[in-house]
């Protein structure tokens, strides 16, 4: 049995009463790279607005879980360090996404996206987050401290892998599967190869009406 197999068995099922993800130590190395960023250096496959939004989920089951640090960029090429939470596939119950923004003259509005009681499904699902927390987590075959470039159970998005800000030797996490409940994410971007949301509802309301 290999050392990796032994580690996977020891961490075969991990539970936390309260699960909170903090940006990995790789962010320290990432921050050093940010200081020397070139104007044409892009870390992701698209430019982000730079504004944070809220994403909440009642229950999420993910296959092929990964967690690593990198940098996104705005249209003005300002670097935004993020932690990327990735899933090869995900089943999501109780989806809510909200973004608050000002409309000139009219004031503050909230754009909300929700699904119905049926499960939403996603493949190649990546959340570029500033903060992620969940009340309960159950991970299977968890590895902590694996090199980002050596992830085998979870994915690295292609835009991040091709970035000069992706450090393959930085510490990352992975699990064959993970279950999360009452998830609350403050994010700057979400990307998916496919995203199926039954009963999609989109609304624009005056004032602040965030998911959490």
């Amino acid at each position: 049995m290999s050392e990796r197999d032994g580690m996977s068995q020891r961490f075969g099922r991990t539970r936390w009463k309260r699960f909170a993800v903090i940006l990995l130590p790789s962010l320290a190395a990432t921050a050093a790279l940010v200081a020397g960023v070139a104007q044409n250096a892009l870390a992701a496959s698209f430019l982000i607005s730079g504004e944070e939004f809220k994403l909440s989920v009642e229950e999420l089951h993910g296959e092929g879980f990964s967690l690593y640090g990198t940098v996104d960029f705005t249209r003005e090429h300002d670097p935004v360090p993020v932690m990327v939470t990735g899933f090869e596939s995900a089943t999501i119950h109780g989806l809510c996404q909200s973004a608050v923004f000002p409309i000139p003259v009219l004031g503050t509005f909230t754009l909300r996206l929700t699904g119905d009681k049926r499960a939403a499904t996603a493949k190649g699902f990546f959340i570029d987050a500033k903060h992620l927390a969940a009340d309960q987590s159950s991970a299977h075959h968890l590895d902590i401290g694996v090199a980002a470039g050596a992830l085998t159970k979870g994915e690295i998005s292609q835009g991040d892998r091709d970035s000069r800000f992706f450090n393959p030797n930085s510490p990352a996490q992975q699990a064959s599967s993970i279950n999360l409940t009452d998830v609350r994410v403050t994010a700057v971007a979400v990307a998916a190869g496919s995203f199926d949301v039954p009963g999609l509802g989109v609304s624009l309301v005056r004032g602040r009406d965030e998911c959490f």
Side-chain angles (χ1 to χ4, degrees):
M1 180 174 65
S2 68
E3 180 179 354
R4 171 173 292 278
D5 291 336
M7 181 180 296
S8 296
Q9 288 187 3
R10 288 195 298 272
F11 289 94
R13 185 175 180 84
T14 302
R15 290 183 178 274
W16 294 276
K17 177 64 177 177
R18 183 168 183 82
F19 175 75
V21 178
I22 302 174
L23 190 56
L24 298 170
S26 58
L27 189 54
T30 300
L33 288 173
V34 168
V37 63
Q39 288 295 310
N40 60 353
L42 303 181
S45 55
F46 61 90
L47 298 171
I48 66 172
S49 71
E51 297 295 327
E52 296 179 354
F53 59 89
K54 302 290 183 66
L55 178 69
S56 67
V57 173
E58 293 177 2
E59 296 181 0
L60 185 153
H61 172 76
E63 294 287 335
F65 166 76
S66 61
L67 177 66
Y68 58 93
T70 189
V71 178
D72 288 346
F73 284 85
T74 68
R75 288 183 63 247
E76 290 75 26
H77 304 295
D78 295 326
V80 180
V82 295
M83 56 180 175
V84 181
T85 304
F87 307 91
E88 291 183 356
S89 63
T91 303
I92 302 165
H93 293 270
L95 172 68
C96 177
Q97 179 181 319
S98 63
V100 176
F101 59 94
I103 296 179
V105 180
L106 298 180
T108 299
F109 282 75
T110 302
L111 180 67
R112 286 175 62 98
L113 179 154
T114 58
D116 64 17
K117 295 298 183 181
R118 292 171 292 176
T121 57
K123 292 184 178 179
F125 186 44
F126 296 93
I127 305 171
D128 292 11
K130 304 296 287 186
H131 181 265
L132 186 154
D135 277 351
Q136 180 70 37
S137 170
S138 175
H140 297 261
H141 304 294
L142 173 69
D143 299 322
I144 299 175
V146 61
L151 289 171
T152 56
K153 299 171 184 174
E155 294 185 332
I156 302 290
S157 76
Q158 193 59 50
D160 291 336
R161 189 179 293 278
D162 294 340
S163 167
R164 59 176 291 197
F165 287 93
F166 175 68
N167 180 359
N169 295 316
S170 63
Q173 298 181 22
Q174 65 176 356
S176 59
S177 65
I178 191 167
N179 294 302
L180 303 170
T181 59
D182 193 13
V183 184
R184 301 167 301 284
V185 186
T186 301
V188 296
V190 171
S194 65
F195 204 171
D196 181 11
V197 184
L200 174 66
V202 180
S203 63
L204 180 66
V205 297
R206 185 184 295 275
R208 303 183 70 93
D209 186 21
E210 298 180 273
C211 297
F212 63 90

